[in-house]
Amino acid sequence: MFGIVRPCSHRLGEGLRAQWMAHLCGLCLALRRDHGQFARVVTNYDGLLISVLTEAQAGPVEGARRTAGPCALRGMRTASVAQGEGARLAAAVSLVLASAKVRDHVADRDGLLARRPVALAARRVAAGWGRAGAHSGAAVGFDTGVLVDAVDRQTGIEALAGLGTPLLTVTEPTETATAAAFAHTAVLAGRPGNAEPLAEAGRLFGRLAHLLDAVEDQEADARSGAWNPLTATGTPLTEARRLADDALHGIRLALREAEFTDGKLVHLLLAHELGRSVDRAFGDHACGHAPEASFGPPPGHQAPPAPGNPYGAPFGGEPPRPDKRGFWAGCAAALGVCCTCKVCCADEYEGPWSRKKREGWCGNCDCDCSCCEACQCCECCECCSCCDC
């Protein structure tokens, strides 16, 4: 379950957490229902935003929820989950983009994919996901061709990019793809007036996703020799941070132009949790119980080794982690994490693909999870009707 918007369940509160889980489980079950068990491995935190946006605009609709059976990730409990066109669109987008990700791993000959038989099998899986995503997209009136075209153009742009190439030239295909997906939620919800502001929000979200992925992977890409947009274009982290902050501000402004029946969850995820994702990627403090690594102590400060930490990492950070897993090894690790319920029950666990430390959904939290904290970063407190700030 990859993605840049990974909210702390304690900050969400009981009501919004239930909604968020309903969309996450709804995406997973939509993938299983329409495309089989194996398709569930493409479930991701960012994909569920499509389902969230659709429901936030349409409001309560008969049949938008159903009771799902017991699941290991929910501690073998039943739950109310989202269903309908929003979940199907989210599934279609997730499948097409996962198909592109597999093809990219095959082209880079990552891990086991360097072996010809494994690469051949991966290509077949990717082709199947691409066809399935196109079929699901067509069922809800969405042409996934714009996503496929964006992925194809991305390869050519990266091949031509070099020192001095504007970073936004490299992020453009991702921006175009996410803009189309976000805008189509307005069509599904029957709010055509929202298409333009949501397309802008989606475009900037795609830019952020590309930027943060590049920032988080830069060191690992340098070790492995993989292509990284920041390194290839010679873009410093300070400029990447400026672009990220500008995109975040633009998303908040675009959301204020859209009309929602109930926009609290959208606002929390895209206005506030997305900001924390930016802080996390650039090494800033995000949440009191998340053991995220830092770029290091302030200049001139000599931090002693943390007690009990043989690696001497500053601020008790995690020791240097091994390289990321390849696609298939990550899938195997993901199945192990899911089957052992570590995602929901462990205080922390290792991300299947990135191998970064992740917090369990039900982990202990020592941060200030007050609702009013979420209203401090922008002038839109009217969206947070849960408090009197």
Side-chain angles (χ1 to χ4, degrees), residues 13-338:
E14 184 176 352
L16 292 182
R17 181 180 184 277
Q19 290 185 40
W20 186 79
M21 284 294 299
H23 289 286
L24 180 63
C25 294
L27 170 58
C28 181
L29 294 176
L31 287 164
R32 186 193 69 177
R33 181 181 63 249
D34 294 340
H35 309 292
Q37 286 282 2
F38 186 64
R40 299 171 78 179
V41 302
V42 310
T43 303
N44 66 94
Y45 294 136
D46 293 344
L48 71 88
L49 290 173
I50 302 296
S51 180
V52 171
L53 280 168
T54 303
E55 185 174 90
Q57 296 172 82
V61 177
E62 185 177 355
R65 290 282 193 275
R66 73 177 181 88
T67 300
C71 175
L73 293 179
R74 295 191 298 268
M76 300 308 295
R77 295 187 296 269
T78 61
S80 175
V81 303
Q83 64 174 354
E85 293 186 329
R88 297 188 71 184
L89 176 61
V93 171
S94 297
L95 280 168
V96 173
L97 296 183
S99 171
K101 193 174 185 71
V102 172
R103 293 201 305 271
D104 185 56
H105 280 300
V106 171
D108 291 341
R109 299 173 62 85
D110 290 338
L112 291 175
L113 295 176
R115 300 181 180 180
R116 187 179 181 87
V118 179
L120 180 60
R123 288 193 187 97
R124 290 179 176 175
V125 170
W129 281 350
R131 290 191 297 269
H135 179 74
S136 290
V140 293
F142 181 65
D143 181 8
T144 59
V146 66
L147 307 183
V148 176
D149 176 69
V151 171
D152 292 341
R153 286 189 297 108
Q154 186 74 52
T155 303
I157 290 173
E158 290 181 0
L160 296 174
L163 292 177
T165 301
L167 187 58
L168 297 188
T169 299
V170 179
T171 64
E172 180 275 323
T174 307
E175 296 177 21
T176 300
T178 50
F182 273 44
H184 196 69
T185 65
V187 176
L188 296 182
R191 289 184 179 267
N194 282 350
E196 185 174 347
L198 289 184
E200 176 68 4
R203 182 179 68 83
L204 295 173
F205 180 83
R207 178 183 300 179
L208 260 182
H210 204 133
L211 284 173
L212 299 190
D213 182 65
V215 170
E216 292 181 337
D217 292 348
Q218 189 173 25
E219 291 185 7
D221 289 343
R223 289 194 300 269
S224 64
W227 194 91
N228 184 282
L230 298 179
T231 305
T233 61
T235 304
L237 284 177
T238 52
E239 174 62 10
R241 180 62 193 253
R242 185 191 69 79
L243 291 172
D245 288 339
D246 182 68
L248 181 61
H249 180 64
I251 289 172
R252 290 169 177 165
L253 293 179
L255 290 179
R256 295 174 66 176
E257 297 298 321
E259 296 182 1
F260 297 102
T261 300
D262 182 0
K264 287 194 289 293
L265 183 57
V266 168
H267 179 80
L268 184 63
L269 295 177
L270 289 178
H272 303 300
E273 292 300 333
L274 191 53
R276 290 187 173 91
S277 298
V278 172
D279 291 339
R280 182 170 57 240
F282 285 92
D284 296 339
H285 177 76
C287 181
H289 70 294
E292 299 293 340
S294 169
F295 282 127
H301 177 74
Q302 298 294 326
N309 179 9
Y311 298 93
F315 309 122
E318 60 180 291
R321 59 179 182 268
D323 291 338
K324 296 184 294 183
R325 292 188 178 95
F327 177 77
W328 293 109
C331 288
L335 290 175
V337 168
C338 293

